[in-house]
């Protein structure tokens, strides 16, 4: 946007302000105060998707969201905002149709699967996606051999996309939110093809028995697990996935209240610790 276009936009906003109701003016004031609060947005310099424009537009969208909510950004908002900001950055982007399996959005010709993680007790170093997908209706009895087919459903789903991203909430204290965007390598997820399968034959769960797929490195260290939930939703969970095996593309840390530590009051900088 040119300087003249920016000036015109600011004039339009200024002209509209006197016409706002008291309630509308309050909401606008809240958003302006939010933009003035301490924040720290950082992009991985090697990221091929997070430009400076994307970094700040996405971070500001998160801050606006928390003017109206104390809940973490949800998956549907993540998808919508990702598309809109990609378009603002000049990247061709289009959301997949609702319920589309495999990927959620196409950006610059790449099919992206977008996940979120915001549960209580989140582990900063290990990624947990409670509902990576629904497994549908492949054969699932109490026979451990059925896990082979269930794992193949997962592998087929991963192969339907090009890249997998998850937006994680590491902190949601009243005065500080900490988000990060992490890419889970597709090749890492596909390595489940050689993982160790285990059916929990002694489980007391009703319905189909749950199972696991343990994926380890050459030294026998666990990289991640797949958990096949035999409950009514028949969902697949990805858990204990090492963030050190992934790529952190960006982080957003910001305050939602006028609370600063003594060390930072003079500078207006937000403590990240």
């Amino acid at each position: 946007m040119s300087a003249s276009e920016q000036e015109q936009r600011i004039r339009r906003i200024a002209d509209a302000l006197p016409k706002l109701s008291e309630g509308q003016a309050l909401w606008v004031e809240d958003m302006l105060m939010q933009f003035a609060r301490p924040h720290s947005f950082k992009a991985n310099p090697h990221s091929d998707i997070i430009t400076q424009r994307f970094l700040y537009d996405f971070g500001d969208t998160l801050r606006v969201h928390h003017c109206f909510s104390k809940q973490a950004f949800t998956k549907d908002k993540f998808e919508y905002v990702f598309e809109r900001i990609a378009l603002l950055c000049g990247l061709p982007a289009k959301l997949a149709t609702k319920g589309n399996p495999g990927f959620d959005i196409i950006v610059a010709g790449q099919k992206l699967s977008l996940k979120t993680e915001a549960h209580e007790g989140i582990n900063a170093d290990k990624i947990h996606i409670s509902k990576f997908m629904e497994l549908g209706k492949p054969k699932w009895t109490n026979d451990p051999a059925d896990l082979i087919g269930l794992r193949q459903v997962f592998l087929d789903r991963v192969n339907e996309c090009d890249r997998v991203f998850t937006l994680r909430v590491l902190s949601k204290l009243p005065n500080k939110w900490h988000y990060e965007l992490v890419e889970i390598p597709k090749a890492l997820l596909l390595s489940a093809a050689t993982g160790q399968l285990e059916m929990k034959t002694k489980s007391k769960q009703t319905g189909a028995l749950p199972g696991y797929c343990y994926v380890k490195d050459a030294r026998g260290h666990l990289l991640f697990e797949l958990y096949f939930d035999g409950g009514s939703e028949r969902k697949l969970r990805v858990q204990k996935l090492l963030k050190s095996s992934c790529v952190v593309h960006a982080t957003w840390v910001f305050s939602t209240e006028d609370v600063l530590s003594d060390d930072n009051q003079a500078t207006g900088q937000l403590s990240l610790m």
Side-chain angles (χ1 to χ4, degrees):
M1 179 184 294
S2 66
S4 62
E5 289 175 326
Q6 178 71 349
E7 290 175 359
Q8 292 175 11
R9 174 169 289 172
I10 292 174
R11 281 199 295 269
R12 289 197 300 270
I13 294 172
D15 291 342
L17 291 178
K19 303 173 186 177
L20 299 179
S21 67
E22 181 179 356
Q24 291 169 340
L26 177 63
W27 288 121
V28 172
E29 183 181 25
D30 282 350
M31 284 188 284
L32 292 175
M33 290 178 64
Q34 183 76 316
F35 289 143
R37 291 186 174 113
H39 64 280
S40 176
F41 301 162
K42 295 181 180 180
N44 183 332
H46 303 294
S47 175
D48 63 340
I49 198 165
I50 303 297
T51 63
Q52 283 297 105
R53 172 70 187 272
F54 197 110
L55 176 74
Y56 280 88
D57 282 359
F58 194 89
D60 287 339
T61 303
L62 290 173
R63 292 203 286 171
V64 170
H65 165 76
H66 286 293
C67 284
F68 307 101
S69 177
K70 293 184 178 181
Q71 301 300 314
F73 219 50
T74 57
K75 185 178 179 342
D76 65 316
K77 292 184 177 70
F78 180 29
E79 295 170 0
Y80 173 79
V81 171
F82 205 104
E83 179 195 40
R84 182 167 185 183
I85 295 178
L87 292 171
L88 289 173
C89 291
L91 296 172
K94 184 176 178 59
L95 285 173
T97 55
K98 187 175 181 181
N100 179 71
F103 65 93
D104 301 296
I105 184 173
I106 300 177
V107 178
Q110 293 188 316
K111 298 176 181 178
L112 310 184
S113 175
L114 303 182
K115 309 296 183 183
T116 57
E117 181 183 1
H119 58 86
E120 296 295 333
I122 188 171
N123 186 324
D125 299 320
K126 294 182 180 180
I127 293 170
H128 180 103
I129 302 175
S130 60
K131 189 176 181 180
F132 189 91
M133 61 177 289
E134 292 183 2
L135 289 162
K137 298 182 178 180
K139 183 182 179 183
W140 193 343
T141 65
N142 294 339
D143 184 354
D146 290 346
L147 292 178
I148 298 173
L150 294 172
R151 176 174 59 186
Q152 189 59 49
V153 173
F154 164 76
L155 297 173
D156 291 343
R157 176 63 58 86
V158 173
N159 272 317
E160 290 174 355
C161 67
D162 297 309
R163 304 172 73 175
V164 179
F165 292 86
T166 180
L167 182 67
R168 310 179 75 218
V169 184
L170 299 185
S171 172
K172 41 188 171 181
L173 298 174
N175 64 323
K176 186 182 76 173
W177 286 81
H178 183 172
Y179 285 83
E180 66 176 9
L181 181 66
V182 179
E183 180 174 3
I184 305 173
K186 179 178 175 179
L188 176 61
L189 294 174
L190 291 177
S191 67
T194 57
Q196 175 188 351
L197 296 171
E198 179 187 11
M199 181 79 82
K200 290 297 183 180
T201 56
K202 295 183 179 180
S203 172
K204 296 181 180 180
Q205 178 175 292
T206 57
L209 292 177
Y212 284 86
C213 176
Y214 304 104
V215 183
K216 301 178 181 180
D217 64 16
R219 295 174 294 176
H221 297 154
L222 185 69
L223 294 174
F224 68 95
E225 296 175 351
L226 300 180
Y227 174 68
F228 304 91
D229 187 347
S232 59
E233 293 185 57
R234 296 167 67 97
K235 61 185 179 181
L236 175 74
R237 183 190 308 160
V238 175
Q239 58 191 28
K240 299 181 182 179
L241 191 147
L242 296 179
K243 191 171 72 174
S244 59
S245 302
C246 303
V247 178
V248 179
H249 282 263
T251 60
W252 297 272
V253 184
F254 53 91
S255 174
T256 53
E257 295 179 4
D258 296 322
V259 179
L260 295 175
S261 67
D262 293 339
D263 293 338
N264 295 314
Q265 285 186 6
T267 63
Q269 298 297 309
L270 178 63
S271 170
L272 303 185
M273 301 302 294

